Amino acid sequence: MSKENQKPTHRDVVPSVINFLSDELFEGDYKEQPMYLQEVFELLMHTEFGDDIHLRQKMLSCLRTSRNLLETLAPFTEKQIQKACLNSKSYQ
């Protein structure tokens, strides 16, 4: 069976999440992301486009996800997270 036809397992998902986190950490300060999103969304809500309930629900969902990620990673230093990501990549 080709790889495209196989269902992904948790063993496939975890390395992808690790890669995502690793890439995000090297892009800038992830701890500021919820505030950046909130600032952008607050400005957008004052426009004609922001006056849409479905868009507002999506924006709130993005903020919630970003805050949850921040809470999950909060106990760890950036160096600890980077080291864990780099170590995990070496097992792949």
Side-chain angles (χ1 to χ4, degrees), residues 5-88:
N5 293 333
Q6 295 176 359
K7 290 186 178 181
T9 67
H10 73 283
R11 293 179 193 267
D12 298 322
V13 173
V14 171
S16 294
V17 171
I18 290 169
N19 286 335
F20 168 76
L21 289 176
S22 179
D23 292 343
E24 284 299 306
L25 291 175
F26 294 114
E27 287 293 317
D29 190 359
Y30 71 93
K31 293 179 181 179
E32 298 296 323
Q33 293 301 316
M35 292 305 298
Y36 295 160
L37 283 174
Q38 183 172 342
E39 184 179 342
V40 169
F41 292 161
E42 284 175 356
L43 290 171
L44 182 61
M45 285 185 193
H46 295 291
T47 68
E48 184 179 335
F49 296 108
D51 193 22
D52 180 295
I53 189 69
H54 298 292
L55 179 61
R56 288 177 183 236
Q57 289 170 336
K58 289 177 184 178
M59 291 188 295
L60 290 173
S61 177
C62 288
L63 280 170
R64 190 171 29 256
T65 300
S66 184
R67 286 183 182 136
N68 287 340
L69 175 61
L70 178 60
E71 287 176 21
T72 300
L73 298 176
F76 309 102
T77 66
E78 288 190 37
K79 285 185 179 184
Q80 288 173 316
I81 296 167
Q82 288 175 355
K83 183 177 178 183
C85 288
L86 291 173
N87 288 342
S88 297

